[in-house]
Amino acid sequence: MTARILNGNAIRDQIYSELAAEISALKAAGIQPGLAAVLAGENPASKLYVNSKIAACGKLGLASFLITPPASISTDDLLAVVDELNRRDDVDGILVQMPLPHQVSSKKILDALDPAKDVDGFHPINVGKLVAGQPSLAACTPSGVMEILRRSNIPIEGSNAAVMGRSDIVGKPMALLLLHANATVTICHSKTHELKDVVHRADIVVAAMGRAAMVTPEFIRPGATVIDVGQNVIADRADALRIFANFPEKLETFRAKGSVLVGDVHPDVVNVAGAFTPVPGGVGPLTIAMLMSNTVKAARMRRGSSAPVAAAGKS
Ligand code: NDP
């Protein structure tokens, strides 16, 4: 059996075209949605992420504002930056790129965000609303996984879902979103006993542990849908040869670049699963798409527009 590939890039493009139409409708109603990104310090990976988010805003017609405080900024000064963004009417969404400089209290900063502008969905008010099943701004990566499942017509209601990982940004919100979609959800973590057996019972497996290629074919019930959230860089030749023994094109990438990306799911799972998301090109593209979607949703909720709602913007 060879699994159906769930193409995240195609789903992202579909969401973008819906969002572009919705943004045009908002603009016609006199509303220009805007996203503010706070990038403190010089972390190269953070710069790359923020630049991709700003580029997506430009592509879709969202206003974007980049705020770049120095790495030496104090918690109080960053709180003042957040306070100003909370008050600005042209800012609908605020994202504070993590990690923050070590002297800054990330918790204080995230808690200070106006929940109505918290497009990453990390504020306790939004987490609480997610738990209660109320409309909210939900975390982007799990929301993206739901879009992949729904738009690929994977049955969720009544299915057994195993979420591997229980972080605040992926595992927990993922489990809640699946639960609200009427899946029977098991949350697995590093202390789970008989992990392989637990996961093997699942119709839908979401792997988000940050453990390269850990989910081997023995974990997967034949025909199950496997969603791979993990993003791990393999820079060791022996590891690359072991993981990608059956994937010469990946080994070629490794030879050319000196590294290759792998998810938390072993590539051989393609022979057992019914459907799966590749890495790269699966879940990854959806994270920024859902940030854009949350920004439009925040604009609509905060400014009370009755403009039509795109599918990606529904809670
Ligand atoms: P965290 O490190 O915060 O959480 C990892 C979770 O996995 C923990 O709950 C941990 O359990 C669990 N875990 C670790 N090892 C095992 C194991 N051997 N067996 C079972 N469970 C285990 O990671 P994140 O949630 O932030 O990220 C997970 C992965 O997703 C990473 O690869 C990250 O790069 C990727 N990611 C991808 C995104 C995308 O856009 N595609 C966005 C965000 C993350 P415990 O709680 O017991 O320690």
Side-chain angles (χ1 to χ4, degrees), residues 122-144:
F122 297 158
H123 192 283
I125 294 275
N126 284 322
V127 174
K129 284 184 175 177
L130 178 62
V131 172
Q134 294 175 13
S136 66
L137 296 167
C140 296
T141 302
S143 299

Side-chain angles (χ1 to χ4, degrees), residues 155-208:
I156 304 173
E157 181 162 320
S159 68
N160 286 324
V163 177
M164 304 176 75
R166 58 173 165 181
S167 71
D168 291 340
I169 62 167
V170 186
K172 282 181 201 161
M174 184 75 255
L176 286 162
L177 289 170
L178 286 164
L179 180 66
H180 292 315
N182 294 323
T184 301
V185 184
T186 306
I187 306 174
C188 311
H189 46 78
S190 66
K191 308 290 186 291
T192 299
H193 288 167
E194 315 291 349
L195 181 65
K196 220 174 262 187
D197 293 343
V198 172
V199 175
H200 201 269
R201 285 197 283 274
D203 308 299
I204 298 172
V205 177
V206 181

